[in-house]
Amino acid sequence: MAAGPRATADTAPAAGAGEVEGEHIKPFTPEKAKEIIMSLQQPAIFCNMAVDWPAQHWTAEHLSEVLHGKQIRFRMGMKRTDTVPQFETTCGYVEATLEEFLTWNCDQSPLSGPFRDYDHSKFWAYADYKYFVSLFDDKTDIFEGVIWSDFGFPGRNGRQSTLWIGSMGAHTPCHLDSYGCNLVFQVQGRKRWHLFPPEDTPFLYPTRIPYEESSVFSKINVVNPDLKRFPRFCKARRHMVTLNPGQVLFVPRHWWHYVESIDPVTVSINSWIELEEDHQARVEEAITRILVCALKTAEDPHNTRAWLNPTEVEETSHEVNCRYLNRAVSALFDYYRTSKVVEVQAMRTNREHMKKEGLNVHNHMEMEQTGGHDLSLGVVKQEAASLFGPDLVPVILTSEELPSKTGSIFEGDGKDFVGEDGEHSGKLHCTKRQRMMSKSEDAIVEQNASNSNMAPSQTLISTDDLLDCLLNPQVTRIVAQLLIQGRSLWF
């Protein structure tokens, strides 16, 4: 069952002066919550922000009644400790109702029914990536039970959300999301999150096989890594946290994450928040799709399921993929045009305002050219960090040793949010960004040097090996930029 409340983070503050008894005043206004989300560079947990959401009562038992026997697809994985990740292409799948899942999950391994081939003591089940609009298509009023507008995103609710229901041990392999940032509301049970910063990408051995749009997977099982095969992983900086019911986890853009259910039943709801960077990311994803589909289909045109994630149901013909690329590039340039218009209008309004105030426009522009904009952005980030406390808890760097299954929200042993490196986490992870980037660049150089000094391998280079190089996130980014620059001659 779910862990009991912790005084440090999981309990709502006592009623203060001016607060009406029985009425919950949230620690952050929607405007302030959005400001934090858009400026914070490290994962953090919001507490006491969803205590009045109807969705907080959506246990698996409740959802079983709401769905009235509707069939859901469950991914079935082995409860085993192996160094190889359990990708979705290697899992089994079952179509079952939530009621059938709950019966099986009570360790009542049925002799008949959809779970008959899966011994509960050996397997876990995960109904993941279930879009509300598909799952509750005839019960749209349920969308209002998820109130992302409390975080500064008006109109965003269950319609833009996905549902995740799993048994103990159910997990998603380590990956990063190409688009947006992520907000995750924990409804029932606890989940443990293993997170790694974007700068650690060289240490996570990224791959696009299996292929899924917007997901870059790691070749490593981060809870049981094979350090002989992946030695650079020991340099990755693991941030670990246990997400309890009622809490909302913020996952910044491009943070790697491995998520595992550590209670008998877990229910989560998430929403991906769009960001400006997504426009170029869609071009990168379109390039990736073309190359993966072209090379893998040429290798074996009759076995796409060996490399194509089950979540990918779209046509994979070269013609369709090229159209997708052209649409992504066109959308990017449309965004550029709109942004330029908005930027010009903003500059004009700002200039008129400064004239009214009698300010020196030239001095202001000079300040911007010398880093005034970066300075102001840094101030915003520092202000976000200063809000850390019982209602906004930073996810901090952990020790190398993995915690027990009964870990708390504070996975490190440092008090007052002190990280493993001895620095106060209140300074915020983004203040160390330059040092992290330097480390990342050093890692890439070290990786290339290491590869060049290795003895020739007796194993033949495979299509997947080639794709790992061609579709390394850094390479794809460069290709996208070159493509955009070439097309900009028409812009």
Side-chain angles (χ1 to χ4, degrees):
M1 298 300 291
R6 295 175 56 85
T8 54
D10 303 334
T11 14
E19 182 176 341
V20 179
E21 187 175 355
E23 178 185 348
H24 178 73
I25 297 180
K26 301 191 176 183
F28 305 107
T29 64
E31 295 76 18
K32 177 56 70 173
K34 184 174 183 179
E35 179 185 316
I36 293 170
I37 289 168
M38 291 304 177
S39 61
L40 201 57
Q41 298 282 326
Q42 76 177 99
I45 288 180
F46 286 90
C47 302
N48 305 311
M49 285 291 288
V51 294
D52 58 348
W53 289 15
Q56 70 173 322
H57 305 295
W58 294 354
T59 62
E61 292 80 3
H62 173 73
L63 292 172
S64 175
E65 297 174 3
V66 172
L67 290 170
H68 293 304
K70 186 168 186 174
Q71 295 276 310
I72 300 175
R73 194 184 202 196
F74 288 85
R75 178 161 58 95
M76 309 301 296
M78 292 287 292
K79 291 181 178 178
R80 56 178 171 77
T81 303
D82 195 354
T83 58
V84 180
Q86 289 194 59
F87 291 124
E88 294 173 52
T89 49
T90 63
C91 291
Y93 290 88
V94 161
E95 297 286 340
T97 65
L98 272 179
E99 185 178 6
E100 289 170 325
F101 161 73
L102 290 170
T103 299
W104 171 81
N105 198 47
C106 289
D107 209 9
Q108 301 177 18
S109 296
L111 298 177
S112 61
F115 291 99
R116 63 184 177 276
D117 296 328
Y118 297 95
D119 186 337
H120 182 265
S121 65
K122 298 179 180 178
F123 288 89
W124 48 258
Y126 205 6
D128 51 359
Y129 276 111
K130 304 307 174 192
Y131 287 92
F132 271 59
V133 291
S134 300
L135 199 58
F136 303 105
D137 54 347
D138 56 343
K139 300 177 178 65
T140 56
D141 57 323
I142 203 171
F143 297 160
E144 305 303 322
V146 184
I147 314 172
W148 297 117
S149 57
D150 282 347
F151 289 86
F153 302 98
R156 182 176 288 267
N157 54 31
R159 186 178 295 276
Q160 297 83 22
S161 304
T162 54
L163 183 68
W164 310 68
I165 303 173
S167 64
M168 183 177 290
H171 65 268
T172 51
C174 188
H175 67 284
L176 68 79
D177 300 315
S178 303
Y179 305 144
C181 59
N182 198 0
L183 289 174
V184 186
F185 174 46
Q186 191 63 25
V187 179
Q188 179 181 5
R190 297 168 300 156
K191 280 187 171 178
R192 175 160 294 125
W193 285 70
H194 304 247
L195 300 118
F196 303 86
E199 296 82 10
D200 284 1
T201 293
F203 309 140
L204 273 297
Y205 297 83
T207 183
R208 296 311 301 259
I209 303 297
Y211 173 73
E212 176 182 274
E213 183 186 356
S214 81
S215 293
V216 182
F217 291 102
S218 169
K219 295 181 180 180
I220 303 169
N221 180 356
V222 298
V223 296
N224 187 28
D226 183 349
L227 294 179
K228 289 184 178 179
R229 185 179 176 192
F230 306 111
R232 294 191 306 278
F233 178 67
C234 65
K235 298 182 180 181
R237 291 157 295 175
R238 187 192 305 264
H239 296 62
M240 191 151 39
V241 70
T242 298
L243 191 63
N244 294 300
Q247 298 174 338
V248 175
L249 174 65
F250 164 63
V251 182
R253 182 175 187 263
H254 284 183
W255 272 71
W256 292 83
H257 47 284
Y258 171 101
V259 190
E260 56 182 333
S261 299
I262 59 173
D263 276 324
V265 180
T266 62
V267 178
S268 309
I269 299 168
N270 89 294
S271 187
W272 285 281
I273 308 299
E274 300 83 3
L275 298 173
E276 291 183 1
E277 295 89 342
D278 292 348
H279 293 284
Q280 178 169 321
R282 288 190 178 89
V283 176
E284 295 170 15
E285 285 299 302
I287 294 169
T288 298
R289 188 181 190 91
I290 286 177
L291 291 177
V292 169
C293 292
L295 290 180
K296 294 299 290 184
T297 302
E299 181 182 54
D300 187 351
H302 305 296
N303 190 23
T304 59
R305 288 300 151 193
W307 55 270
L308 191 65
N309 234 28
T311 54
E312 288 294 316
V313 295
E314 294 183 12
E315 187 178 353
T316 57
S317 72
H318 188 69
E319 180 183 0
V320 169
N321 291 338
C322 284
R323 285 205 301 266
Y324 180 71
L325 173 61
N326 279 279
R327 285 198 301 268
V329 173
S330 296
L332 176 65
F333 284 132
D334 288 343
Y335 168 72
Y336 283 165
R337 292 186 187 97
T338 304
S339 298
K340 280 195 171 185
V341 171
V342 172
E343 182 181 348
V344 169
Q345 290 175 343
M347 289 176 63
R348 186 175 300 149
T349 302
N350 190 42
R351 190 179 300 115
E352 291 173 357
H353 174 72
M354 286 189 291
K355 286 180 179 179
K356 290 178 181 178
E357 297 294 328
L359 297 176
N360 190 318
V361 177
H362 297 290
N363 288 343
H364 180 74
M365 292 177 63
E366 183 178 346
M367 183 192 74
E368 287 188 344
Q369 291 172 355
T370 56
H373 175 74
D374 292 337
L375 181 61
S376 63
L377 183 60
V379 170
V380 171
K381 292 177 180 178
Q382 290 292 341
E383 288 177 353
S386 69
L387 295 172
F388 285 151
D391 297 309
L392 182 65
V393 183
V395 179
I396 61 176
L397 193 65
T398 64
S399 61
E400 290 300 320
E401 184 178 357
L402 295 181
S404 66
K405 290 290 181 184
T406 56
S408 68
I409 187 171
F410 299 103
E411 292 296 344
D413 57 358
K415 297 181 180 179
D416 195 25
F417 314 140
V418 177
E420 185 185 52
D421 56 4
E423 295 191 26
H424 196 291
S425 293
K427 292 180 180 177
L428 205 136
H429 189 78
C430 64
T431 60
K432 301 183 236 176
R433 189 173 184 85
Q434 186 173 359
R435 177 166 57 84
M436 289 177 176
M437 289 301 293
S438 177
K439 286 184 177 181
S440 179
E441 291 167 359
D442 290 344
I444 297 169
V445 173
E446 179 183 331
Q447 174 183 348
N448 292 336
S450 174
N451 291 342
S452 63
N453 292 331
M454 285 172 27
S457 173
Q458 298 302 312
T459 305
L460 294 176
I461 295 173
S462 67
T463 303
D464 291 1
D465 294 331
L466 179 60
L467 285 170
D468 285 342
C469 297
L470 290 174
L471 299 177
N472 181 286
Q474 290 179 315
V475 175
T476 310
R477 191 170 303 119
I478 293 172
V479 172
Q481 290 170 350
L482 289 171
L483 185 63
I484 292 165
Q485 288 171 10
R487 297 292 297 175
S488 65
L489 297 174
W490 299 87
F491 175 54

